[in-house]
Amino acid sequence: MSKIHVYFMPGLAASSSIFERINLPKDIFEVHLLEWFQPENQETLTNYAKRMSNNVLHDNAVLLGVSFGGILVQEMSQFLNLRKLIIVSSVKTNKELPNRMKFAKNTKAYKLLPTSLLQDVEKLVKYAFGDVMKQRVKLYEKFLHLRNKEYLDWAIEQVICWERVKIDPSVIHIHGDNDEVFPAKNIKSFIHVKGGTHLMILNRFRWFNQNLPKIILE
């Protein structure tokens, strides 16, 4: 029996190492990890999705995206023939975005975010007080993949100004009820993970290892 190819897309600025504890049965699944690359100047999300879809090399694959990666894989799906489209800790339309993001879109307040600060994680580690804070900052640094200001400004704008208004019925949405970035109260029809936060792909990996194979195969 040929294996099912599963492609993982991490969240905004994150590296594919966020999936390091996700283990799918190797006799059934073959996992492929996607990484963010630098967008072109003023590139549309659709064009970026088309370029990213060139890295999905198998027909009838499963595509799973986390957070902004979940938004991206929905845009990628128009260029691919997929077996399953799964989003985690994400949104299916701009109507599911929280009010603060809608406000940021209307006022263009997102353009004022100090994204350049994320480039200085090493300095944060150096000056962080206490071992716990140092560990948290090092963890943050470990999972950050692309953190230059051009990418971050582009990515934040793509999330806040996402134009999709109609839900794709093929999307399987996994969401935690304690998600602090995309509150569950704004989300329609999803697989509920009790106590799951926005980072549940990291800290609830056992849930995914237990349930993801069934979700893909059913």
Side-chain angles (χ1 to χ4, degrees):
M1 187 180 79
S2 60
K3 292 184 180 181
I4 297 171
H5 295 275
V6 183
Y7 286 79
F8 287 115
M9 186 74 224
L12 194 152
S15 79
S16 63
S17 59
I18 65 168
F19 303 112
E20 63 186 11
R21 290 182 172 178
I22 304 298
N23 294 309
L24 302 179
K26 289 183 172 56
D27 58 329
I28 302 175
F29 304 100
E30 187 168 332
V31 169
H32 308 269
L33 302 174
L34 299 172
E35 300 282 9
W36 294 101
F37 50 75
Q38 189 69 14
E40 295 171 350
N41 186 37
Q42 295 186 320
E43 185 168 18
T44 64
L45 186 61
T46 300
N47 195 70
Y48 189 95
K50 186 176 184 179
R51 290 203 294 144
M52 182 65 78
S53 67
N54 292 331
N55 294 322
V56 178
L57 304 177
H58 300 89
D59 195 45
N60 204 34
V62 176
L63 190 55
L64 181 150
V66 174
S67 191
F68 178 40
I71 289 175
L72 180 67
V73 297
Q74 290 174 78
E75 296 299 318
M76 291 169 64
S77 68
Q78 64 187 301
F79 305 110
L80 299 165
N81 177 36
L82 297 174
R83 178 190 181 109
K84 286 275 172 76
L85 177 60
I86 303 171
I87 66 173
V88 176
S89 307
S90 190
V91 292
K92 297 182 291 298
T93 73
N94 59 18
K95 294 175 184 176
E96 294 184 334
L97 292 171
N99 287 334
R100 66 180 180 275
M101 291 189 184
K102 294 174 183 175
F103 176 79
K105 177 183 179 180
N106 292 333
T107 61
K108 294 195 169 14
Y110 63 90
K111 292 182 179 290
L112 304 176
L113 290 170
T115 48
S116 58
L117 292 178
L118 281 177
Q119 298 172 80
D120 296 323
V121 175
E122 291 83 1
K123 289 182 182 176
L124 286 173
V125 172
K126 186 177 179 182
Y127 295 112
F129 296 101
D131 292 336
V132 173
M133 181 58 76
K134 284 182 180 178
Q135 287 171 0
R136 283 184 183 174
V137 175
K138 283 183 178 178
L139 187 72
Y140 185 54
E141 184 182 15
K142 174 185 177 183
F143 292 119
L144 271 182
H145 167 63
L146 202 60
R147 58 173 187 252
N148 65 73
K149 179 172 169 52
E150 291 74 24
Y151 164 80
L152 292 167
D153 288 342
W154 173 85
I156 290 167
E157 183 170 16
Q158 301 315 308
V159 174
I160 290 174
C161 298
W162 193 33
E163 295 180 346
R164 185 179 294 258
V165 293
K166 190 175 179 181
I167 291 176
D168 179 347
S170 70
V171 173
I172 299 167
H173 191 170
I174 304 172
H175 209 81
D177 58 10
N178 282 342
D179 194 303
E180 63 282 8
V181 176
F182 300 124
K185 67 181 181 180
N186 300 322
I187 309 294
K188 292 182 178 178
S189 56
F190 60 93
I191 297 171
H192 179 267
V193 180
K194 190 173 182 181
T197 67
H198 196 66
L199 298 177
M200 66 181 183
I201 198 73
L202 284 171
N203 53 34
R204 295 296 298 277
F205 63 90
R206 290 184 183 87
W207 186 96
F208 286 93
N209 289 341
Q210 182 179 349
N211 292 281
L212 202 50
K214 291 183 286 186
I215 291 169
I216 293 172
L217 292 170
E218 67 187 17

